[in-house]
Amino acid sequence: MSEIILLDTGSLVAVLFARDQFHKWAVEKISTMPTPLLTCEAVVAESCFLTQRMLGSSKAVYDFIETGAVKIDFSLAELTSLMPSKI
């Protein structure tokens, strides 16, 4: 089984925003990970919001996804249907 790595908002924004305090670390770490990294719609939406404020555009998020390095591969809506009705 191949390794599955989930990408969160903080890491995605750090890779895209060169002035982020964790940019260098994030680029180094992500460049060594098997792709595609998996994420969800909520991470993409939040990353777009943050990069819009930092970079003036969310295009960097979409461009990064289009490279194939990131794949939107799961949906909370789909997963909640698998959860028991009482938690």
Side-chain angles (χ1 to χ4, degrees):
M1 178 195 278
S2 63
E3 189 174 13
I4 297 172
I5 299 176
L6 300 177
L7 183 66
D8 72 350
T9 303
S11 300
L12 179 54
V13 171
V15 165
L16 299 174
F17 188 54
R19 292 185 297 187
D20 186 284
Q21 66 179 347
F22 298 108
H23 174 74
K24 183 179 176 183
W25 175 87
V27 170
E28 289 173 0
K29 293 298 179 187
I30 287 178
S31 69
T32 66
M33 296 176 180
T35 57
L37 304 172
L38 303 184
T39 198
C40 65
E41 295 94 343
V43 168
V44 173
E46 186 176 20
S47 297
C48 286
F49 172 76
L50 293 172
T51 56
Q52 176 69 35
R53 294 182 68 200
M54 295 174 182
L55 303 173
S57 171
S58 57
K59 185 176 181 324
V61 175
Y62 295 111
D63 289 347
F64 194 62
I65 292 169
E66 285 184 358
T67 68
V70 177
K71 181 178 178 185
I72 302 169
D73 197 42
F74 61 94
S75 167
L76 186 57
E78 292 173 9
L79 293 175
T80 55
S81 66
L82 300 175
M83 296 174 67
S85 58
K86 293 184 181 181
I87 297 179

